[in-house]
Amino acid sequence: MDLALRRWEAAKQYRGQLLLVAGESGIGKTRLLSELVTRAGIERSPKAGAFPRETDAPGAILLNLADDL
């Protein structure tokens, strides 16, 4: 959580970096990001998810993110 909050603060100062959250199903990725949104006071956060059927499509996660934006 500390790393994610630091990355958020850096992004607000135009020094952002990518923070990739990955892991097994049920490990708490969505919960972590939901807590980050709450703690950082983020009003709107784009969301994207990768699903097993999309693993063969390069850039599928980027298309999902673009769709939410």
Side-chain angles (χ1 to χ4, degrees):
M1 180 59 66
D2 290 336
L3 172 61
L5 287 169
R6 286 194 311 269
R7 292 280 173 91
W8 174 249
E9 290 302 319
K12 289 191 319 186
Q13 298 171 15
Y14 302 101
R15 296 182 293 118
Q17 298 178 16
L18 178 66
L19 177 64
L20 179 63
V21 178
E24 297 295 321
S25 176
I27 202 167
K29 299 175 299 292
T30 301
R31 175 73 175 101
L32 171 73
L33 294 175
S34 295
E35 185 65 21
L36 171 64
V37 167
T38 300
R39 288 188 190 190
I42 301 169
E43 294 180 23
R44 162 108 168 67
S45 62
K47 295 173 179 58
F51 302 95
R53 68 181 186 281
E54 298 172 334
T55 58
D56 292 335
I61 188 74
L62 297 176
L63 290 174
N64 288 339
L65 181 60
D67 187 48
D68 192 50
L69 291 172

